[in-house]
């Protein structure tokens, strides 16, 4: 009895606002005992939220995360404190996602590509040459298909609050410009840990080597691999120009970021707290995408100025690359579900009309 009283005092009387919000309801002590173990009915508690990403603070993803932290603080009257960790300080995409599932980290914003081992449907965003412009990708991600994929996440102990942007990926390497399908031959290219990327680069005759993101710079520097592929702002932010000579504007695939919250943590939040995180992720995401597009445009000139040799890739050559990769894509489309793949192409066609 004594114990129960102490718990009640700590849980309800001390945070006076919570007394009204979470523990009120006329004398039944029941709601007090649920406050620490499961979702409170309402109210905002003091919480510290660890949010880690793979990219640097100066990258649009880092700036978006910073904005998210500010918005959450604002909306919660300073009670919810998001602590951002940049540059894979807490680990790479896969490791941080596992930490969310285990409940030892609250938020991460990884590329969808390394999640495909768990959630195979995300592989549709690894198909090369599906999107030509950002707005086509956004239509798919923000529409019913993107939503459907977010709904797969809770079964994996994750909650998805929407998609941020890494963007169109381009190839860099230390050997020669890549302008034709044949130019891939023999190049040792670091890819994300993703089967579609692996098989697509193999089909082009390259020698792909899957690797976590934080290992890429030193692998390029030591020439363990010849090249890598990432969006321009990411190439710039991670200073790959210091260890790579050639930048080929392949725009071969658009890969998104997915905003993830650990379900174990999410289930402890009140509906008000959940709404704050939802709203802040959407608002900061809009800001992040806009900034990302500006940065991607600026980065090309900056990388040239930094000494990279840049070449464009013609539409004809891209079509040839697409043709070579087609058997790989057909195979994965079967595995993922051809309806889902068709839904994606239909949505893109709608935007193009
Ligand atoms: C950052 C990664 C990265 C991705 C990669 O955490 O691994 O190449 O493009 O941006 O998600």
């Amino acid at each position: 009895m004594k114990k129960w009283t102490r718990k009640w005092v700590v849980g309800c009387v001390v945070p006076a606002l919570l007394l009204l919000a979470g523990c009120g309801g006329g004398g039944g002590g029941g709601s007090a005992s649920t406050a620490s173990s499961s979702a409170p009915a309402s109210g905002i508690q003091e919480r510290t939220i660890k949010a880690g990403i793979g990219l640097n603070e100066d990258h649009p993803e880092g700036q978006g995360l910073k904005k998210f932290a500010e918005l959450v603080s604002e909306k919660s009257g300073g009670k919810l404190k998001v602590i951002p960790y940049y540059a894979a300080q807490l680990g790479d995409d896969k490791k941080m996602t596992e930490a969310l599932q285990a409940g030892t980290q609250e938020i991460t914003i990884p590329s969808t590509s390394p999640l495909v081992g768990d959630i195979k449907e995300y592989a549709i965003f690894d198909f090369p040459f599906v999107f030509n412009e950002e707005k086509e990708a956004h239509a798919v991600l923000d529409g019913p298909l993107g939503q459907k994929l977010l709904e797969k996440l809770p079964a994996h102990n994750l909650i998805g609050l929407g998609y941020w942007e890494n963007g169109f990926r381009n190839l860099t390497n230390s050997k020669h410009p890549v302008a034709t399908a044949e130019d891939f031959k023999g190049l040792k290219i670091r890819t994300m840990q993703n089967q579609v990327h692996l098989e697509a680069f193999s089909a082009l005759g390259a020698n792909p080597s899957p690797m976590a993101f934080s290992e890429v710079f030193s692998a390029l520097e030591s020439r363990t691999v010849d090249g890598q592929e990432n969006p321009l702002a990411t190439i710039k932010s991670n200073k790959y120009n210091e260890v790579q000579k050639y930048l080929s504007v392949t725009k071969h695939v658009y890969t998104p970021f997915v905003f993830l919250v650990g379900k174990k943590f999410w289930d402890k939040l009140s509906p008000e707290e959940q709404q704050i995180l939802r709203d802040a992720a959407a608002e900061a995401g809009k800001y992040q995408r806009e900034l990302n597009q500006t940065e991607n445009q600026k980065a090309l000139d900056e990388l040239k100025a930094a000494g990279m040799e840049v070449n464009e890739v013609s539409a004809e050559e891209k079509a040839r690359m697409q043709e070579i990769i087609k058997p790989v894509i057909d195979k994965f489309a079967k595995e993922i579900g051809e309806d889902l793949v068709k839904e994606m192409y239909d949505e893109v066609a709608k935007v193009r009309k």
Side-chain angles (χ1 to χ4, degrees), residues 214-235:
S214 62
E215 293 165 27
V216 177
F217 188 94
S218 58
L220 296 170
E221 190 175 36
S222 64
R223 305 230 167 182
T224 308
V225 293
D226 303 319
Q228 66 81 44
E229 40 86 58
N230 253 299
L232 297 171
T234 305
I235 293 169

Side-chain angles (χ1 to χ4, degrees), residues 44 68 71-73 75-76 80 271-281:
I44 305 170
F68 171 78
L71 288 169
V72 170
S73 171
K75 289 174 194 290
S76 67
L80 300 178
E272 275 160 275
E273 291 170 324
Q274 291 180 346
Q275 198 56 45
I276 288 171
L277 297 188
R278 266 187 202 292
D279 292 345

Side-chain angles (χ1 to χ4, degrees), residues 53-55 59 61 88 91-93 96 109-112 114 166 169 190-193 211-214 216 228-231 234 238 240 255-257:
I53 58 168
L55 297 183
H59 186 279
E61 189 189 34
D92 276 296
D93 288 354
M96 287 193 284
I109 318 169
S111 294
T112 49
N166 198 358
R169 304 177 78 86
R190 175 270 173 176
T191 67
M192 288 192 277
Q193 293 148 304
M211 198 183 288
F213 184 70
S214 62
V216 177
Q228 66 81 44
E229 40 86 58
N230 253 299
T234 305
N238 281 276
Y240 291 162
T255 55
F257 289 131

